[in-house]
């Protein structure tokens, strides 16, 4: 089969089309013909060697396609099913998996990080990882169900457990995660205040459904949040930036707020004011991969159009390098999705 591979860390042009062996499904597996694969910021970091992992693998964990073959223990009726692949190959038996927290499984691995990923004609995964795509969701859209939409569901609805009427502050609101988090928060009738550092993105952020947009080039936004909320603050903060914003996010937090940390833009330690955290009983929580259930929620939100995908560019698979370059140069807003050879 054809695949996009890389043999050394480096710039986008290390990504090359190659002929590799097509995986064979084991008894419990399905073989999926990949019809769309999202390019994640994570892939860009993996390719450039900024996060651990060896070159030589097939990147990509945002995969949608069609089951084209099944193993001996999988119902043959699944052949032809449109599916999105849950990206984490989880054990299913540990104490985390058994409570539905596949994202915490320590015996797990993520497609495209360790093992064959989405930049290929086919992927082979355990049948349980292939989640049926509901009616009304096309392949390009489905590729976003795992992340960014699933990741946004985890943060906003899972970790922060956002409720109707709560005030949700989203930093880095014009980014791929932010634009989807706004919509996920609106899907439960929260009030969303979005912060972006660039005037160019304000209209986009408003189009995503934000009730109020703060354009803050100097990243001093807590005063405005305080004013907009009648000195109550935000009940939930979805922090996609952290570097340069975390102090202001804490200052924007309401009593007993949940501040969810998703971003690590600068990969630098940040200061916290323990007095503020104690006084306001602020809960600071990390968030990452979607759980299995989050992906199903994401697909439902996409199918009902409560969340509309932000897709910046669709490119054929052999132009994956171009997709990476666009993302690195921040020349694209929304996901870059690979489709067709
Ligand atoms: Zn991703
Ligand atoms: Zn497990």
């Amino acid at each position: 089969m054809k695949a996009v591979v890389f043999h050394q860390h480096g710039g986008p042009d290390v990504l090359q089309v190659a002929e590799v062996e097509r995986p064979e499904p084991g008894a419990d597996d399905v073989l999926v013909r990949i019809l769309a694969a999202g390019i994640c910021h994570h892939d860009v970091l993996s390719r450039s060697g900024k996060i651990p992992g060896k070159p030589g693998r097939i990147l990509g964990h945002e995969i949608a396609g069609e089951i084209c073959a099944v193993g001996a223990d999988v119902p043959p009726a699944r052949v032809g099913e449109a599916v999105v692949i849950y990206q984490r190959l989880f054990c299913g038996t540990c104490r985390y998996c058994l409570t539905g927290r596949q994202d915490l499984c320590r015996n797990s691995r993520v497609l495209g990080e360790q093992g064959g990923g989405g930049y290929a004609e086919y992927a082979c995964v355990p049948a349980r990882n292939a989640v049926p795509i509901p009616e009304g969701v096309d392949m390009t859209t489905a590729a976003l169900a795992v992340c960014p939409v699933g990741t946004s569901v985890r943060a906003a609805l899972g970790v922060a457990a956002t409720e109707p009427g709560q005030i949700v502050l989203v930093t880095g609101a014009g980014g791929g995660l932010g634009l989807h988090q706004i919509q996920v928060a609106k899907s439960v009738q929260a009030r969303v205040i979005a912060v972006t550092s660039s005037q160019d993105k304000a209209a986009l952020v408003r189009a995503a459904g934000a009730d109020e947009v703060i354009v803050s080039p100097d990243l001093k936004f807590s005063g405005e949040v305080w004013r907009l909320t009648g000195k109550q603050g935000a009940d939930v903060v979805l922090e996609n930036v952290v570097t340069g914003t975390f102090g202001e996010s804490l200052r924007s937090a309401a009593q007993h707020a949940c501040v969810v940390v998703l971003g690590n833009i600068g990969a630098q330690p940040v200061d916290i004011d323990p007095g503020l955290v104690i006084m306001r009983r602020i809960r600071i929580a990390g968030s990452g991969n979607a759980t299995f259930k989050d992906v199903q929620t994401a697909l439902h939100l996409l199918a009902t159009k409560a969340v509309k995908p932000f897709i910046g560019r669709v490119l054929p698979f052999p132009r994956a390098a171009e997709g990476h370059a666009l993302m690195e140069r921040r020349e694209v807003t929304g996901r870059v999705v690979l489709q067709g050879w």
Side-chain angles (χ1 to χ4, degrees):
M1 67 172 184
K2 290 194 283 278
V4 176
V5 298
F6 67 115
H7 297 293
Q8 68 209 55
H9 293 303
D13 52 5
V14 298
L15 294 171
Q16 285 171 346
V17 178
E19 195 65 34
V20 302
E21 207 169 326
R22 193 177 91 174
E24 281 297 318
D28 295 320
D29 296 338
V30 293
L31 184 68
V32 175
R33 191 161 69 88
I34 298 172
L35 298 173
I39 300 181
C40 190
H41 188 61
H42 206 87
D43 303 345
V44 174
L45 296 176
S46 293
R47 186 217 70 226
S48 59
K50 287 182 184 145
I51 48 177
K54 290 196 180 79
R57 65 193 185 274
I58 301 167
L59 292 171
H61 56 261
E62 304 175 3
I63 308 169
E66 188 181 283
I67 295 178
C68 60
V70 298
D73 294 340
V74 179
R78 290 203 71 181
V79 173
E81 206 175 275
V83 293
V84 57
I85 296 180
Y86 178 66
Q87 83 284 18
R88 191 170 273 276
L89 303 177
F90 54 98
C91 80
T93 56
C94 73
R95 64 186 181 128
Y96 300 112
C97 285
L98 289 172
T99 56
R101 292 299 305 268
Q102 298 85 7
D103 64 316
L104 302 180
C105 177
R106 298 180 75 180
N107 308 313
S108 69
R109 57 197 181 87
V110 175
L111 287 169
E113 292 305 310
Q114 306 110 324
Y119 301 6
E121 282 187 284
Y122 298 91
C124 190
V125 293
R128 65 183 182 190
N129 281 68
V131 185
I133 297 174
E135 198 111 353
V137 180
D138 60 52
M139 282 292 164
T140 329
T141 301
L144 277 69
V146 162
C147 78
V149 183
T151 308
S152 299
V153 168
R154 173 95 308 262
L157 307 186
V159 175
T162 303
E163 292 177 9
Q166 284 194 316
I167 298 171
V168 178
L169 177 69
V170 179
T171 65
L177 275 176
L179 290 171
H180 294 96
Q181 286 163 359
I182 292 167
Q183 300 180 74
V184 170
K186 289 307 295 178
S187 78
V188 294
Q189 311 298 328
R191 174 182 164 196
V192 176
I193 302 176
V195 179
T196 174
S197 60
S198 108
Q199 184 65 51
D200 297 352
K201 294 206 166 154
L204 194 65
V205 168
R206 200 161 276 122
D211 296 283
E212 280 114 359
V213 181
I214 302 174
V215 178
S216 178
D218 64 354
L219 300 177
K220 293 272 176 274
F221 51 84
S222 64
E224 186 63 5
V225 174
W226 219 237
R227 193 186 68 75
L228 288 169
T229 59
K231 299 184 182 176
Q232 291 300 304
D235 303 300
V236 171
V237 182
L238 302 177
E239 247 292 15
N240 297 304
V241 183
V242 178
T243 308
T245 57
F246 199 61
E248 284 290 287
S249 285
L250 293 180
R251 281 188 280 279
S252 301
Q255 298 290 109
H256 202 236
C258 182
V259 178
V260 186
V261 178
L262 291 105
N264 189 13
I265 298 285
Q268 296 281 337
V270 293
D271 289 330
I272 69 162
D273 174 354
L276 185 64
V277 173
I278 295 165
M279 209 164 55
R280 294 201 195 155
R281 319 290 199 267
I282 296 171
R283 294 162 296 152
I284 299 171
S287 189
N289 283 165
T291 65
F292 198 84
K293 180 167 171 270
D294 296 329
V295 172
Q296 285 172 319
T297 303
L299 284 166
H300 175 73
L301 292 173
L302 290 165
T304 55
K305 315 283 188 258
V307 173
K308 295 185 188 70
F310 275 87
I311 294 162
R313 196 74 57 94
V314 177
L315 294 170
F317 281 91
R319 285 164 66 186
E322 190 181 325
H324 274 233
L326 284 169
M327 288 177 62
E328 244 165 12
R329 297 196 303 259
R330 298 182 185 276
E331 283 173 12
V332 66
T333 304
R335 261 297 182 271
V336 179
V337 178
L338 299 172
Q339 251 182 320
W341 288 87

